[in-house]
Amino acid sequence: MKDQDTGILDGPAIRYWMPGADEWRTSDVWPPEGSKKLEWSLRADGALGDDQGAPGERSLMVLGEGLGRARPSDADPPTQLAWTSEPLTEALDVAGDLEAELHASATAADTAWIVTLQDVAPDDTAVDVTAGWLRASLRGTDPDADAAGPPELPCREPESVVPGLVTTYRIPLVTNARRFATGHRIRLVVTSDDQDHITPAIMGFRHAPVGTSSRNTVRSSSGSCCPCPGSPAGTPRKRARARERCTR
């Protein structure tokens, strides 16, 4: 209210809700002070792990125009891929800016990458936590942005997508906070078209398709990183590569 001291500006600058812990928290900075970045690798065996494991790759198929068929055949790769962690031995709090980095190739001149983070309960019920979207040809990041933060995507100057060439795609996920409970698993779902009802869609929002048909392949050197207040023993361990991925 004008000219009245309501106290709204008193205290820490940030107040946020932590689902899973079901409590309000405050911080003067974002991510919260003392957060450590943890990394998960997108392993070739479908595990979301703390190491790359055996080198390999996984592929998905997106159908657009040009193939002359409206639906995939049994010989096609799946339309989405998922990587799932082992059950957590301790609760894990995540708060801040999340990022996925894909080392991937496409057979089309353009495609999209849609990444969804999920909280998976012991009964395999999955809750969509946050997501990010990137058009491959608009992957360029702002070189002047803060290197310690998530990538900033101007989306103004298209870059060619060379079919078959492994390319790095940095995909920021919408900033979020959540407690993953003991016994829960963390899942990362990747697709290139979320129009199908079986693909995750936070709040029912789905992206306009790029329109190309493409076989998209994700290398096991890909990964995801997130800021975690503290570092519980049940979480994947932090590695040097995590800092390299999340700060360059």
Side-chain angles (χ1 to χ4, degrees), residues 60-62 78-83 102 111-116 132-134 171 188-196 198-201 206-207 216 218:
L60 63 87
M61 187 77 173
V62 57
T79 57
Q80 64 181 15
L81 299 172
W83 288 264
L102 302 183
T111 190
W113 298 104
I114 304 170
V115 180
T116 304
W133 178 93
L134 175 69
I171 306 167
L188 204 71
V189 180
V190 175
T191 186
S192 294
D193 186 354
D194 60 4
Q195 292 297 303
D196 195 307
I198 68 169
T199 59
R206 299 187 184 276
H207 300 81
N216 296 340
V218 179

Side-chain angles (χ1 to χ4, degrees), residues 19 35 45 63-64 71 85 97 134 168 173 181-182 188 192-193 206:
S35 295
D45 60 4
L63 289 179
R71 60 181 60 86
S85 74
D97 301 310
L134 175 69
T168 296
L173 280 63
T182 302
L188 204 71
S192 294
D193 186 354
R206 299 187 184 276

Side-chain angles (χ1 to χ4, degrees), residues 2-82:
K2 189 174 181 179
D3 297 328
Q4 293 190 21
D5 184 5
T6 63
I8 190 66
L9 298 179
D10 296 339
I14 300 169
R15 186 169 184 255
Y16 64 98
W17 179 252
M18 177 66 78
D22 296 334
E23 62 185 20
W24 288 101
R25 296 184 180 181
T26 59
S27 177
D28 285 314
V29 295
W30 193 257
E33 190 75 30
S35 295
K36 297 180 180 180
K37 288 188 175 179
L38 300 178
E39 179 197 67
W40 293 275
S41 291
L42 278 56
R43 294 168 52 121
D45 60 4
L48 191 66
D50 60 357
D51 61 73
Q52 180 180 335
E57 59 189 31
R58 302 176 69 201
S59 296
L60 63 87
M61 187 77 173
V62 57
L63 289 179
E65 301 175 355
L67 291 184
R69 52 190 174 93
R71 60 181 60 86
S73 71
D74 293 339
D76 289 333
T79 57
Q80 64 181 15
L81 299 172

Side-chain angles (χ1 to χ4, degrees), residues 176-225:
N176 213 285
R178 187 172 185 86
R179 169 171 289 179
F180 294 85
T182 302
H184 284 220
R185 291 168 292 157
I186 300 169
R187 178 174 293 159
L188 204 71
V189 180
V190 175
T191 186
S192 294
D193 186 354
D194 60 4
Q195 292 297 303
D196 195 307
H197 71 281
I198 68 169
T199 59
I202 292 180
M203 299 180 66
F205 178 83
R206 299 187 184 276
H207 300 81
V210 174
T212 58
S213 292
S214 183
R215 181 186 179 109
N216 296 340
T217 301
V218 179
R219 294 288 183 91
S220 59
S221 55
S222 304
S224 179
C225 60

